[in-house]
Amino acid sequence: MIQTPYLLFLGDAPDQLAAKVAQGIRDWRPEYALGQYRMDGCKADMKLPDMNLAEAHAASARTLVIGVANRGGVISKKWKEVLHTALEQGFDIASGLHNLLRDEHDLVETAQRHGRTLHDVRVPSVQYPIANGVKRTGKRCLAVGTDCSVGKMYTALAMDKEMRDRGLKASFRATGQTGILITGDGVPLDAVIADFMAGSVEYLTPDNDADHWDLIEGQGSLFHVSYSGVTMALIHGGQPDALILCHEPTRDHMRGLPGYQLPSLEALRDTALNLAKVANPACQVVGISVNTQHMGDEEATAYLAEVEARMGLPAVDPFRHGAGRLVDALAAI
Amino acid sequence: MIQTPYLLFLGDAPDQLAAKVAQGIRDWRPEYALGQYRMDGCKADMKLPDMNLAEAHAASARTLVIGVANRGGVISKKWKEVLHTALEQGFDIASGLHNLLRDEHDLVETAQRHGRTLHDVRVPSVQYPIANGVKRTGKRCLAVGTDCSVGKMYTALAMDKEMRDRGLKASFRATGQTGILITGDGVPLDAVIADFMAGSVEYLTPDNDADHWDLIEGQGSLFHVSYSGVTMALIHGGQPDALILCHEPTRDHMRGLPGYQLPSLEALRDTALNLAKVANPACQVVGISVNTQHMGDEEATAYLAEVEARMGLPAVDPFRHGAGRLVDALAAI
C-alpha cells in the first residue's frame, strides 16, 4: 500500500503524453495529487501547484510518484539527484518503470539509511495463493475488450467515480501499473507467476458487503494471443457478476498483431460470458463501452446507436458521455 | 537441455508411486534410463540395473535425475551425501522438486567446484519472448482436458511414441516438470511470468518440417478456475492444428474445487475449438482420450462406444488400447 497524498514527479517530460501516469492520478484521484515537481525543460503540466520537496512534505505529501515515462523506461541520471533528496527528506518513492528502483543500488542505499520505502509497482510484493474458486460475497464487474488498450481501465475508473458520486459502495481494483499508481494498491497481474494469476485476482477482490461493487480493471483480451491467458485468469479469478464489453471500432488489426482481425462484439459477448459462467453462473453482460476518440461527434453518436440497437445493451463512450448509463445497468442487476 | 543418459535416483522411496517421475522416464524414454540408484529401505523398483555412481558414470550416464518425490518435496539429509558424491564424480543433477537444488548452498558450492550443473526444472531457465502470433510451419497437436490430471501428458506421450514407431516425424513438447525430466527439455509453464506464457509456448514449438507434428503436453483446463489462464496460453501460443479432448468420467467434481462440476465433452469441444480458431482458423478436434482406470473392461468399452457415437470422433483409452486410432485421426488431416 502506497502512502498518500502524492507529489507527482514530472521530471523533464518532453510532452504531456509522457506524463500520462501523473495525468491518470490527477484525473481519477485528485485528492491524492497534492502538487507537481517539474525539472528544467519539463513540457508537461498537470495544472497543479508547483512544489519543491520541502513544500510538499510540509503540506503532508508522503510519496513521490514518478508520473512520467522516459523513452526506454529508464531512471535517468538527471532524476537521481531529486530522488535521493526526496528520500532524505522523508518521502517514499513509487514507480511503474521497467527500470526498477530496487535495481539502482544508490537509491536502495539511501532509502535504507533513511528508513524509506521504494515501491516498484511492476513487481508483485505479495506471495499470492492458488485460486480456490470459493464464491465470495459482494459483487464484481469486469471490463473485457475486443483488443488490448481499448479503454478497459478508463471504463472501470469512470464507473467507480460515478458510483461513488452517487453514494454507492464501489472500489476500483487495479491490475496494471498505472492503475496501481492511481489508487495506491493493486495487483501487477502481467508480472504474476502463471499458477497464481487467478489467485491474485481472488486476493484483490475479497469478500465484501452484499451491495458493494468491485470494478476490476481488465487486461489483454481473450482474442489477443499474446495476453489471453491473463484475461482468462481475470474472468475466473474475478468471478464477475457483470461484464462490460469494451471496443475501439477504428482499429484495423489487433494491437501488435498484424494479420489478426478484431472479433465482433457478439463474439466477445458469447465467448467471455460462456467462460465467466464457469466461475459464476449468474454472470451477465450489462453494457458496452466504446472508445470513439477517432470518430467525430456525429459518427460516434450514430455508431453507438447502431451498436445499442444491434446488441440490445446500453452502448456509451464514458469519456464523451459519462458512465451513468453503465452504472444504471449495474444497479439494475 | 539436460544431458542424457540418466542414472535414476530412487532414494528411499516408500513405495512405487513415490517414484513416478522415474517411472515416466522408464516408460517413455527407456533409452535414457541407464540404471537406478536405490538407497537402503527403497521400496521402488524400475526393473533397471542397480548401479553405483562409478558404474553408471563408466557406462556413460551424465545426469543423476531425482526420480522420487519425498513427502513435502524436500531434499532430505539422507540424500545429500549421494548428491555431493555424484557432483564430485562428474554428474549433473536434475530435479523437479519444490525444494530447489539451487537453494541448497552446499550443493551449489560442490557443483561450482566441480563445474557441474544443477537443473531445477520447476524454474524457467530462459527469458521467454512475448508471443507474436506469427503462423509457424509444421503441425501441432494439443491435448485439452475437462479437468486437470485427466491424462493429457500420458495421451501426448503415447501419441508421440506411436508416431515415432510408425516412422512419422513427431516431438513430445513438455510443459510440466515430469515431462521435462522425461524428455530432458521443455517449458515449466506454470512457473512462467504471466506476460510471457504464450510466448514460451511459441518458443517451445518453433517452425518445423511441414510433415512434423509437435505433441504438446496440456496443462490445467479451460474449466478449472485456478489454472485456466495457463490452458488459454497453451491454446493461443501453441496455435494447434488439432485438439485431443481428454476426460476422466468417474470424477464427481473438478480437482481441488468441490462444488465445481466437470463440463461435458461437448462444452469442452466447443469452447476450446472456438478459442483455438483465433490463433489457427484451421484447427480441428480430432479425437477423444478417456482415462478409464476406474472402470472395468466392459464398462470402459461401453463408455468409449457411447462417447464415440455421440461425438462422432474416435474415443479411446490410450493406456488400455494404445494411441493408434488417435494417430490415425491426426494423419488424416
Side-chain angles (χ1 to χ4, degrees):
Chain A
M1 195 95 185
I2 302 169
Q3 283 200 70
T4 57
Y6 304 149
L7 175 63
L8 302 181
F9 177 77
L10 308 188
D12 46 358
D15 53 36
Q16 193 75 5
L17 198 62
K20 73 174 183 171
V21 167
Q23 189 70 55
I25 297 170
R26 172 75 170 102
D27 289 347
W28 298 109
R29 291 291 182 276
E31 67 275 26
Y32 293 173
L34 209 64
Q36 61 186 10
Y37 185 105
R38 298 193 292 174
M39 293 168 57
D40 285 347
C42 180
K43 300 282 198 311
D45 183 2
M46 297 299 129
K47 314 285 188 210
L48 289 169
D50 283 293
M51 292 182 175
N52 64 29
L53 294 167
E55 288 164 349
H57 199 268
S60 87
R62 287 298 171 263
T63 305
L64 183 72
V65 174
I66 299 187
V68 55
N70 264 347
R71 244 172 278 276
V74 299
I75 297 165
S76 81
K77 282 182 185 148
K78 285 187 186 173
W79 295 1
K80 276 283 183 74
E81 195 178 333
V82 183
L83 303 186
H84 280 286
T85 309
L87 292 167
E88 285 158 12
Q89 296 195 4
F91 286 88
D92 294 339
I93 303 178
S95 163
L97 298 176
H98 270 290
N99 180 173
L100 302 182
L101 297 167
R102 72 184 61 175
D103 290 340
E104 300 296 306
H105 299 299
D106 54 334
L107 291 178
V108 171
E109 200 270 323
T110 303
Q112 278 171 346
R113 202 167 58 237
H114 294 274
R116 306 314 312 171
T117 302
L118 302 175
H119 296 281
D120 284 305
V121 302
R122 234 168 232 285
V123 183
S125 55
V126 171
Q127 186 89 18
Y128 301 113
I130 287 176
N132 63 26
V134 174
K135 177 73 180 160
R136 306 192 291 288
T137 54
K139 289 182 181 286
R140 286 156 199 88
C141 174
L142 174 67
V144 293
T146 51
D147 193 2
C148 298
S149 307
V150 291
K152 295 185 298 292
M153 182 180 80
Y154 190 97
T155 300
L157 281 163
M159 291 176 71
D160 170 64
K161 181 172 190 313
E162 173 74 16
M163 292 184 83
R164 296 198 293 164
D165 287 350
R166 292 188 190 183
L168 300 171
K169 295 179 190 169
S171 304
F172 171 76
R173 299 299 190 183
T175 61
Q177 288 78 28
T178 305
I180 295 171
L181 287 172
I182 289 173
T183 57
D185 204 0
V187 167
L189 189 57
D190 61 11
V192 172
I193 299 279
D195 248 4
F196 305 98
M197 292 186 300
S200 76
V201 181
E202 291 188 349
Y203 170 93
L204 180 69
T205 60
D207 281 325
N208 216 318
D209 296 345
D211 58 345
H212 176 279
W213 279 93
D214 279 331
L215 286 318
I216 307 173
E217 181 189 357
Q219 294 293 337
S221 165
L222 288 172
F223 294 84
H224 195 294
V225 297
S226 310
Y227 307 116
S228 52
V230 179
T231 313
M232 185 74 264
L234 273 162
I235 290 175
H236 282 168
Q239 51 182 232
D241 301 275
L243 297 173
I244 305 284
L245 310 181
C246 298
H247 186 50
E248 203 282 70
T250 70
R251 215 166 271 188
D252 59 7
H253 63 74
M254 296 291 284
R255 189 175 166 92
L257 299 176
Y260 281 82
Q261 298 304 302
L262 271 73
S264 66
L265 281 162
E266 287 86 345
L268 174 62
R269 174 195 64 200
D270 295 344
T271 302
L273 187 59
N274 172 37
L275 291 164
K277 284 183 170 175
V278 171
N280 185 350
C283 185
Q284 300 175 44
V285 176
V286 300
I288 301 166
S289 173
V290 181
N291 177 343
T292 63
Q293 67 175 314
H294 298 299
M295 294 172 141
D297 273 341
E298 274 182 45
E299 190 188 2
T301 304
Y303 181 81
L304 289 167
E306 184 271 316
V307 168
E308 181 151 337
R310 201 176 84 217
M311 303 287 291
L313 291 166
V316 302
D317 181 338
F319 186 81
R320 284 185 193 239
H321 311 116
R325 294 185 61 223
L326 297 177
V327 169
D328 294 344
L330 262 201
I333 70 171
Chain B
M1 196 93 186
I2 302 169
Q3 284 200 69
T4 57
Y6 304 150
L7 176 61
L8 302 181
F9 177 76
L10 308 187
D12 47 358
D15 53 37
Q16 193 75 4
L17 197 62
K20 72 174 186 173
V21 167
Q23 189 70 56
I25 297 169
R26 172 75 171 103
D27 288 346
W28 298 109
R29 290 293 182 275
E31 66 275 26
Y32 294 173
L34 209 64
Q36 61 187 8
Y37 186 105
R38 299 191 291 173
M39 293 169 57
D40 285 347
C42 180
K43 300 282 198 314
D45 183 1
M46 298 299 128
K47 314 283 188 211
L48 289 169
D50 283 293
M51 292 183 175
N52 65 30
L53 295 167
E55 288 164 349
H57 198 268
S60 88
R62 287 298 170 264
T63 303
L64 183 72
V65 174
I66 299 186
V68 55
N70 264 347
R71 245 173 276 276
V74 300
I75 297 165
S76 81
K77 282 183 184 147
K78 286 189 187 172
W79 295 1
K80 276 284 182 74
E81 194 178 333
V82 182
L83 303 186
H84 280 286
T85 308
L87 292 166
E88 286 158 12
Q89 296 195 3
F91 286 89
D92 295 338
I93 303 178
S95 163
L97 297 176
H98 270 288
N99 179 173
L100 302 182
L101 297 167
R102 71 184 62 176
D103 290 341
E104 301 296 307
H105 299 298
D106 54 334
L107 291 178
V108 171
E109 200 269 322
T110 302
Q112 278 172 345
R113 202 167 57 237
H114 294 274
R116 305 316 311 170
T117 302
L118 302 175
H119 296 281
D120 284 305
V121 302
R122 237 168 229 285
V123 184
S125 55
V126 172
Q127 187 89 18
Y128 301 113
I130 286 176
N132 63 25
V134 174
K135 176 74 181 160
R136 306 192 290 290
T137 53
K139 290 182 179 287
R140 286 156 199 86
C141 174
L142 174 67
V144 293
T146 51
D147 193 1
C148 298
S149 307
V150 292
K152 297 186 296 292
M153 183 180 80
Y154 190 97
T155 301
L157 281 164
M159 292 177 70
D160 170 64
K161 181 171 190 314
E162 173 74 17
M163 293 184 82
R164 296 199 292 164
D165 286 350
R166 293 188 191 182
L168 300 171
K169 296 180 190 169
S171 304
F172 171 76
R173 300 298 190 183
T175 61
Q177 288 78 28
T178 305
I180 295 171
L181 287 173
I182 289 174
T183 58
D185 205 0
V187 167
L189 188 57
D190 62 11
V192 172
I193 299 279
D195 248 4
F196 305 99
M197 291 186 299
S200 75
V201 181
E202 290 188 348
Y203 169 95
L204 180 68
T205 59
D207 282 325
N208 215 317
D209 296 346
D211 58 347
H212 176 279
W213 279 93
D214 279 330
L215 286 317
I216 308 174
E217 181 189 356
Q219 294 293 337
S221 165
L222 288 171
F223 293 84
H224 194 294
V225 297
S226 310
Y227 307 116
S228 53
V230 179
T231 313
M232 184 75 263
L234 273 163
I235 290 175
H236 282 167
Q239 52 183 232
D241 301 274
L243 296 174
I244 304 284
L245 311 182
C246 298
H247 186 50
E248 203 282 72
T250 69
R251 214 167 271 187
D252 59 6
H253 63 74
M254 296 292 284
R255 190 176 166 91
L257 300 177
Y260 281 81
Q261 297 305 301
L262 270 73
S264 67
L265 281 163
E266 287 87 344
L268 174 62
R269 173 194 65 201
D270 295 344
T271 302
L273 187 59
N274 172 38
L275 291 164
K277 283 184 170 174
V278 171
N280 185 351
C283 185
Q284 302 175 41
V285 176
V286 300
I288 300 167
S289 174
V290 181
N291 177 343
T292 63
Q293 66 175 315
H294 298 299
M295 295 172 141
D297 273 341
E298 274 183 45
E299 189 188 4
T301 304
Y303 181 81
L304 289 167
E306 185 272 316
V307 167
E308 182 151 337
R310 201 177 84 218
M311 303 287 290
L313 291 166
V316 302
D317 182 336
F319 186 81
R320 285 186 192 239
H321 311 116
R325 294 185 63 223
L326 298 177
V327 170
D328 294 344
L330 263 200
I333 71 171

